[in-house]
Amino acid sequence: MFRKHRNPYTFRRSKSGLQVWKTLGWLLLIGVGIELGVWVVLVLTGERAKLASYKGQPADVYAYQLQMLSPNGKSVSGRSTGQLNVQPDWSMGYRLKDEQNSNYWAINPQGFRAPEPLPREKPPGEVRIFLLGSSATFGQGLKADEQTIARRLEQRLQARLAQQKQSPEKYKPTTLPNTAAGLQAIQSLPRQLKSGTYHVINAAVPGYASGNQLAQVALEILPYQPDVIVVMNGYDDLMLASDQEMAILEPITQRIEKPLQSAWQSVTRPFLEFIRNTRTFKAIQFYLLKPQPSLPQQALPLASANADWLDYLPEDGADLDERVQRYRQNMKQLIQLCAGARVPLIVSLQPEITGIDVDNYTSTEAAIASTLPENYQTLIPEGYAQLELSNNELEKAFPNNVKILNYYPLFNDLSAAAFTDPVNLTDDGTKALSERFYNAIAELPQLQVIPSQPQPQ
């Protein structure tokens, strides 16, 4: 009797909503079709396995990028950034997760870069040398553990012992001659190293600054009864904000300081991970985009994907002074700590690309330097000059407790390229630095055989 009239606005909304679902359905169908098409092409070309193992960047780069984990071992970064797992540690900032490995490195149960475990108790006759630092000391980008500074240094020290045994005439005898002519003949000869098994432990952690290393020595290294501690640092201190005592995992702090952003990342992470793991996304990256980490990401392990040098450089001279003073205080405490434990300490400023004169750049290093902003090329040399002054003052204050080295300009005369980015080293650079550390360690009186006086006749 009464005709029902459909509300035109309700009809339009229903039709519009239906159209949206149809569009989404077609997009999903197209996406599935593209994914299947890519799969077929990969199977036919034999590229399926290669793309399946692709992680969004070259394998050697992926292996050394950090993957941040929560204390219970779950990713908190919002995306898979790399293979080298690190976990927060409230005393040292963070640490390498123990018992992990890749095709390029192995981390032992103690969290050091080595394939074999390190017992707490030192075996008889073992001489333990701990090498601390950041990514360059760790061996960022090197193809194997054998290429690292630590392993090369260990081999060099063991070779020295073998040489002493084979050619004892090239070294001072264990007992001095009882004639003036005999003493004159051996005056220029180096002393022998103490016999034993020299073990150099790579305790470097990418991104560590002096505050992390101070805590690391106090809480982790000293219990392993080191005979020598070698620290190479400086760069990460210059790039660490002056209001931070040590380097920390920023995504961990974001969960407290930026809860909404952290919650959004947790919600969107599964979807983003799904997209990144599709064959289509991987194929676009692998064959077309070929993404590489930026120079700030390579030089600063904790830097984000969109990092800029301006996010890390000192803001002005006053900010730079604060960072240098923080470094000085940390190193002073480290010297005092090692002196109290009676462990010889060697501190070296690490090499950096601005330590090379522009005229001495290789083509590779010139290309790297050309991307650095002007304030980087001004502030970093100035910062290194202040760090050197600070270290020299500490060496004068503690002449019997620390040996200071400055390797900032070490590669000024090296004919081959030494750097892969502003601070990490090539294989040639690593070899040259290892030899310098060998010379410094071999000169430590604590590791030398002091010749005894001749018996009276």
Side-chain angles (χ1 to χ4, degrees), residues 48-59:
R48 182 183 174 188
K50 182 188 296 184
L51 201 67
S53 62
Y54 181 62
K55 301 296 184 180
Q57 49 193 328

Side-chain angles (χ1 to χ4, degrees), residues 240-252:
L240 181 66
S242 54
D243 61 350
Q244 290 186 227
E245 292 299 320
M246 62 176 66
I248 56 176
L249 301 182
E250 187 173 336
I252 298 293

Side-chain angles (χ1 to χ4, degrees), residues 116-129:
E116 66 281 342
L118 182 72
R120 183 67 63 90
E121 291 298 322
K122 185 167 55 176
E126 181 172 287
V127 179
R128 286 183 174 175
I129 301 172

